[in-house]
Amino acid sequence: MNPAAAAKASVLDLAPVVPVVVVEGIEDAVPLARALVAGGLPAIEVTLRTPVALDAIRAIADAVPDAVVGAGTVISARNVADAVDAGARFLVSPGWTPALLDAMSASGLPFLPGVSTASEVVALLERGVGEMKFFPAEAAGGTAYLKSLAGPLPGARFCPTGGITAASAPGYLGLRNVGCVGGSWMLPADAVAAKDWARVESLARDAAALR
């Protein structure tokens, strides 16, 4: 998918898996992103959990034009502003408040606010938001919970994230209310430490083939 088309597509439809990335060393950001994109995973969520996260987003946005890089672990209006300034193209939060939802909406970027209960889903639907992150997916009820939401809440589509593996991902992707899943299994710590980007690319390719 070319960058122009990707900019118009829903984050949920870019690829079956969104890699959830924790960048510890800024030197890893660009080669890691290139490996993921080469493997067929263009949407990359860089979590704001490390001191170099914003610089990593900026570096990927500048150097990997085929990547659709987003910011994860967005929990404040300041996070939103910083992510936009760094060049993020979508936002993901582990949960939401009215103030955070307002800030994400005002950013003009696609966003996935986090939910784990039916009441949170209903509240988002009331606000006109139909795409959301289900987190922490495995701990919050997994595929059985999401399947039970599909009937009464057909307007909601999810990106489940949290504890999902290559083995469990197909079960989520088979649900009608799931657009994609988030995970980090294609980024094993030993491969990143060894800068084995060929292995990352191979695992990304396997993940991209899940649907």
Side-chain angles (χ1 to χ4, degrees), residues 52-71:
V52 301
L54 290 169
D55 288 335
I57 291 171
R58 188 172 288 107
I60 294 169
D62 288 345
V64 193
D66 290 334
V68 181
V69 62

Side-chain angles (χ1 to χ4, degrees):
M1 180 177 294
N2 65 52
K8 297 178 181 178
S10 163
V11 174
L12 297 184
D13 298 323
L14 293 178
V17 180
V18 175
V20 179
V21 181
V22 180
V23 179
E24 300 287 352
I26 189 61
E27 69 279 2
D28 293 335
V30 169
L32 183 155
R34 286 177 173 155
L36 292 172
V37 171
L41 301 180
I44 301 170
E45 176 189 337
V46 176
T47 62
L48 302 184
R49 301 181 192 176
T50 66
V52 301
L54 290 169
D55 288 335
I57 291 171
R58 188 172 288 107
I60 294 169
D62 288 345
V64 193
D66 290 334
V68 181
V69 62
T73 322
V74 173
I75 58 173
S76 68
R78 179 56 185 267
N79 285 162
V80 171
D82 288 345
V84 171
D85 183 66
R89 293 172 62 183
F90 65 92
L91 307 170
V92 184
S93 69
W96 67 279
T97 64
L100 179 57
L101 193 69
D102 288 344
M104 290 193 293
S105 180
S107 74
L109 298 180
F111 59 93
L112 298 174
V115 298
S116 60
T117 69
S119 294
E120 291 169 325
V121 176
V122 171
L124 284 177
L125 291 173
E126 284 184 347
R127 296 282 297 268
V129 178
E131 297 187 346
M132 51 201 80
K133 170 179 176 174
F134 179 60
F135 177 82
E138 288 287 280
T143 56
Y145 191 88
L146 281 174
K147 186 176 181 179
S148 72
L149 294 181
L153 300 170
R157 293 179 73 216
F158 301 94
C159 174
T161 304
I164 298 176
T165 66
S168 62
Y172 285 94
L173 292 169
L175 299 177
R176 63 181 180 178
N177 57 349
V178 169
C180 64
V181 301
S184 56
W185 70 85
M186 71 297 301
L187 296 162
D190 58 339
V192 175
K195 304 188 188 307
D196 187 351
W197 308 124
R199 183 180 171 200
V200 170
E201 180 180 338
S202 177
L203 290 169
R205 186 170 293 109
D206 291 342
L210 285 176
R211 199 195 308 278

